[in-house]
Amino acid sequence: MEISMEQTLASNSDGITSEEDRRVIVPSKFIAAEADCGFEKKEHSWLAMSQIPTDLSIQVQEITFYVHKYPLISKCGYFSRIELRPQISDACCDVKLDNFPGGAETFEIILKFCYGLPISLNVSNVAALRCASEFLEMTEALEDGNLISKTEAFFTFVVLSSWGDSIAVLKSCETLSPWTDNLQIVRRCCDTIAWKITGETSTVGGLANGEKWWFNDVSTLRIDYFTRIITGLKAKGMKPEIIGSCIIQYKEYWLPSTEPEREAAGSNNYGRREMQWKIISGRKQEEYIGPTKEQRLMVESLVSLLPPEKEAVPCKFLLKMLKMALLYSASPAIVSELEKRAGLVLEGADVNDLLIPSYAAGDQGKLVDSTEEKTMHNTEIVQRILEYFLMYEQQQLQQQHSGPLPISKLLDSYLAEIARDPKLPVTKFLFLAQSLPENARTSDDGLYRAIDTYLKTHPSLPDHERRRLCKVMNCGKLSLDACAHAAQNDRLPLRTVIEVIFAEQMKIRAAIQGSGQTETADKSDLESNASATNKEVNTLKIELEKVKLQMNELQSDHSELQQQYKKQKPKQRNSSAWKVGWRKIRKSALFSLKAEEEETDESRNRPNQSRRSGLLRRRRQSVS
């Protein structure tokens, strides 16, 4: 919005005092010539054209203004207070305004106001004119309706009543510090914006529908202004999820991700990441562009603004901020805060989030030199994050039995990724692998894959280190496929291979027994369910009748065999009769136990037939 003002020497509707009320007496010949005054602009000068020659030169930045004393003295207390010496030569100026708010452009508007020419107030220049008028002491004591009162009224009644004007004025204040802070322009704009956000958001429901309408405008502001607005919103009780979402968008606007695009997670991208790491770390020091102070301040400010609630921001965002905090050499307190917060929500991360590059400590975020024996990834930070997670889980499960942890697969995948680093010591790998409790993993297949990857990357690892590494793995928690692979793995120690084979046999035996129990349980379930219907009950009765008939036939055959056995003499007994009988008895397993008892008694009565008893014993084993 613009307001045009015509400044005249006589009294008018704007409230400007008459000529007799001025504190400084202006000559009448100047008053007559002032109405015809014009301005001529040159390359580095600005000249007031009038019948009266100029008697004052003022330098603002690189431009020199040649003006008259009296229009400035009548409205600017600054010029009436300082001692004005006459111009000695054309090469110098009478007054040099250093650090003038708004620069030469703003001073040109003030000169027009002092000469009584119309000026235009808008959201682009009102903050600069308010600061410049304060600098030049253009108060009401010199003249009613002076520039301070006019700019203050425009700011209060026009700017603060509009959302867009408040944002525009706040952006224009970025180059006017500390004047805008001292005059409370920034504070009043930020308070108005926060008040409008809470007022409008309360009338609109749902985060997806209406609570993000202000994100884009606020994200374009400077970090200290953004901090003021977010602090005001937190004081007004804004939801932590909304504040966290706004902080995430602000980070994406000012601190875009420096990581390369990840086409897919897993080992396929490892070669690309390794190549990029080597290229960056191999740069010369003079080619490195270090982080700026603004970036480090922005990271620290955003972390300080995060709401304390764990659901405010996801773990992915925290780990991204952690990488940037290390890259821009943020304070240790900020790094520690990010580690703790990431540990609380670690289950929401993936493997790529945990792959934090190793930076040289205190070296302004530079990647370590490739000649140093440093690991590619910072495993110490991941270890601390894991410790915070375990501490939090222990507090949550104090009255419950601990069981498998949701991050066991995440840690095993992370171990498989860092195992590809040829400079990773076995102690660091073991320290991470042993971080989880013994019952935290439901299966050790992921851990076996990580160990096998490490052994493949480090072929010269000593035997005792291999045995020490494989002790971390529980062979009893390996699946049948993993056992089959490990049993033929030449990289594993012999003792580990034997344990794997034994575990595999135990699993096969348990699987066979489990299948038999499952079939029995399925049959019992089917019988119980079949009894619910008459048709199934009748079917069962028919089957039982058939079984009874078969048992009667078997019993008659058995009694017949016993009679034949009694009629035969001991000398004439041979294996032929037993062969006929056993063919019938072997058809049913119901009489195996009874036949065994009878044969045992008979063997006691016939000690001279040991050879035949051995033959019968072998047949019984085959039948069972």
Side-chain angles (χ1 to χ4, degrees), residues 554-565 584:
L554 290 174
Q555 287 179 356
S556 61
D557 293 340
H558 183 262
S559 60
E560 183 180 355
L561 286 173
Q562 286 181 344
Q563 292 177 1
Q564 292 178 2
Y565 176 75
K584 296 182 180 181

Side-chain angles (χ1 to χ4, degrees), residues 318-336:
L318 294 172
L319 292 174
K320 287 181 180 178
M321 293 299 297
L322 179 58
K323 294 177 184 179
M324 290 191 173
L326 297 172
L327 178 64
Y328 298 140
S329 299
S331 63
I334 295 297
V335 175
S336 178

